[in-house]
Amino acid sequence: MAKKALIFGVTGQDGSYLSKFLLKKGYVVHGIKRRGSTLNTERIDDIYTDPLIKKNNFFLHYGDITDSLSVNNIIKKIQPDEIYNLAAQSHVAVSFEIPEYTSNADALGTLRILEAISKSRKKIKFYQAGSSEMFGKVQETPQNENTPFYPRSPYGAAKLYSHWITVNYRESYKIFACNGILFNHESPLRGETFVTKKVVRALCKIKFKKQKKLFIGNLYSKRDWGHAEDYVIAMWKMLQQKNPSDFVICTGKQYTIKQFINFTAKKLGIKIVWKGRGINEKGFDQNNNCVIECKSKYFRPAEVDSLKGDYSKAKKILNWRPKHNIHSLIDDMIKYEIKNLNNDR
Ligand code: NAP
Ligand code: G4F
C-alpha cells in the first residue's frame, strides 16, 4: 500500500517542493492549509496539471497548528505514516513584531503535533523543520549537530523549543522523530520578503525598467544558501533511516548579502559600483543611477552575523549532498523571475 504523508505548511516554499517529491515517489500526500481571505495555494496549484503526478493522491484540509483541535482531528482522521512539520511563522524580522504568535505557532505548534502522535495507536514518523537560526550568535564555525545553540530572535528561540521538545518526545515515548537543522534555502518559490527573492526580483525589474531602486538592510551578514529542491530530499531521507536522529543540512559555503547582490547583478548585466559606508552605502549602475539604498527599517534588533554549516553527518549517514551551488540557485531564481515579469502586480 502507498505510504501516507501529512504535511503541515504544505502551501509554503518547502511544502510545495516536498509534496511534489513525495507524490513522484508514489506517496499519498495530505496537506494542511490555513483559511485566508485570498487564495494561498499558488505554490501547489501546478500539482493538478503536472502530467508526472497522480492528482487523486493529493488532498488538502483546513487546519492551523495554533489550534489543538484541528491538529488532533486531522492526525486521527488521516492516520499518516509520516508527518512533516513545516508550518511556521518563518520570517525572523517579523518574529520581533509578533513574538507571542511566533512562539505559539513555531514552538507550541510542534508540541501539539508531537502530543497527538504520542497518543496515536499508529506508529507515525515525525520530521521537525529546525533552523540554523538556532545557532544565532555562533559559538563555532562551521556549525554541526554538536555546536551549542544561541538564538538571537523570538523565531530562533521558538525553534529551539521545538528542537528540544522533539528530542524529548523521541526519548520519552520512543517516537521516530528527527530534527532537520536546515540552513537558509531558497528557490523561485521563496517568499517575496526574504532577502534572496527580494534582491533577484528587484534587480530583474530594475534591468527591465519596471522598478527604480532596491531598498535593503544589512549588507554584511553572511549566509550559507542552498536550494530548497535539494533540502526536501534530506527531510525525506531522515525518515527512511533505521534510527531517528538530527541532521545539519547546508552547503558549507557562505556569502554576504552584498556578494549575493553582486552575483545577481552581474548575471543580469548590471554593473554595481558601491559608494559610502554603513547606512549610507549605496549601489550605482553603469549610468550612475542609484539603484540600491540601505534603510534602517530592514535592520533587526539583533542580527545573526554569520552562518556556515558542516553537512558531514548527512553525507555519511543519509548519503546526501547538495546538487546546487549559489550560482545555479541564482540562475534558477532569475529564470523564473524573468518569465513572470510581465504578470507582475
Ligand atoms: P514558508 O514559505 O514561510 O512556509 C510556511 C508554511 O507554514 C506556509 O504553508 C504557511 O501557510 C504555514 N503556516 C504558517 N503559520 C501556520 C499556522 N499557524 N498553521 C498552519 N500553517 C501555518 O517557509 P519555508 O521556507 O517553506 O520553510 C518551511 C519550514 O522550514 C518553516 O518551519 C521554516 O521556519 C523552516 N526553515 C526554513 C528555512 C529556509 O531557509 N527556508 C531554513 C530553516 C528552517 P500560509 O501559506 O497560509 O502562510
Ligand atoms: O532572507 P532572510 O530574511 O533570512 P534569515 O533571517 O536568515 O531567515 C531565513 O533562514 C533561516 C535559516 O537560517 C530560516 F530558519 C528562516 O525561516 C528564514 O527562512 O535574511 C537573511 C539576511 C539577514 O541577515 C538580514 O538581516 O539578510 C539580511 N537582510 C538585509 N536586507 C535582509 C534584508 N533580510 C530581509 N528579509 N530583507 C531585507 O531587506
Side-chain angles (χ1 to χ4, degrees), residues 65-304:
I65 42 155
T66 62
D67 175 39
S68 301
L69 287 180
S70 71
V71 170
N72 284 326
N73 290 339
I74 289 164
I75 293 175
K76 251 193 205 147
K77 186 171 135 199
I78 309 300
Q79 294 279 302
D81 298 287
E82 296 170 7
I83 294 181
Y84 296 85
N85 179 26
L86 312 181
Q89 190 301 92
S90 70
H91 203 286
V92 174
V94 173
S95 79
F96 289 97
E97 309 287 323
I98 47 168
E100 186 181 344
Y101 173 74
T102 301
S103 306
N104 192 359
D106 300 11
L108 295 181
T110 310
L111 174 66
R112 292 182 183 101
I113 298 172
L114 283 165
E115 193 49 28
I117 293 175
S118 74
K119 297 287 178 302
S120 163
R121 257 178 278 143
K122 181 163 182 175
K123 287 239 173 265
I124 303 174
K125 293 183 175 182
F126 178 67
Y127 171 81
Q128 166 55 20
S131 167
S132 52
E133 273 292 307
M134 298 187 296
F135 294 124
K137 189 172 177 182
V138 296
Q139 302 297 294
E140 63 182 8
T141 295
Q143 297 85 49
N144 63 33
E145 292 78 5
N146 300 317
T147 302
F149 297 120
Y150 192 140
R152 293 274 280 170
S153 63
Y155 170 85
K159 285 285 182 184
L160 190 53
Y161 173 85
S162 280
H163 177 91
W164 284 116
I165 202 68
T166 300
V167 172
N168 180 254
Y169 271 57
R170 176 166 79 209
E171 292 175 354
S172 306
Y173 307 115
K174 310 286 170 265
I175 295 173
F176 192 110
C178 301
N179 286 297
I181 307 173
L182 271 54
F183 283 61
N184 298 51
H185 47 282
E186 321 292 313
S187 76
L189 303 184
R190 186 58 146 151
E192 288 157 17
T193 59
F194 294 96
V195 78
T196 56
K197 179 76 168 180
K198 186 172 160 182
V199 165
V200 172
R201 206 155 197 253
L203 291 178
C204 287
K205 286 185 171 185
I206 288 168
K207 161 93 182 165
F208 292 99
K209 305 209 173 345
K210 287 173 175 279
Q211 183 173 326
K212 287 208 161 77
K213 213 179 261 185
L214 162 67
F215 293 101
I216 197 90
N218 183 2
L219 289 168
Y220 293 98
S221 56
K222 295 181 195 144
R223 289 292 181 273
D224 176 335
W225 281 295
H227 197 305
E229 193 172 58
D230 287 336
Y231 287 35
V232 298
I233 300 173
M235 296 176 188
W236 173 77
K237 283 190 168 216
M238 286 178 213
L239 297 197
Q240 313 315 310
Q241 302 308 303
K242 201 154 169 248
N243 298 308
S245 192
D246 306 325
F247 293 91
V248 158
I249 301 297
C250 60
T251 69
K253 302 250 160 33
Q254 65 169 192
Y255 303 94
T256 62
I257 312 303
K258 192 172 175 179
Q259 281 175 302
F260 188 93
I261 294 176
N262 287 336
F263 290 151
T264 308
K266 192 167 178 208
K267 286 172 190 291
L268 287 165
I270 306 171
K271 188 168 169 10
I272 305 283
V273 176
W274 294 94
K275 294 179 191 168
R277 277 178 167 261
I279 191 77
N280 296 319
E281 186 159 8
K282 292 185 172 64
F284 294 82
D285 69 7
Q286 47 269 57
N287 302 318
N288 209 24
N289 295 315
C290 175
V291 289
I292 303 166
E293 212 174 290
C294 293
K295 277 255 185 257
S296 56
K297 74 168 179 175
Y298 294 119
F299 286 74
R300 296 166 184 189
E303 179 63 279
V304 172

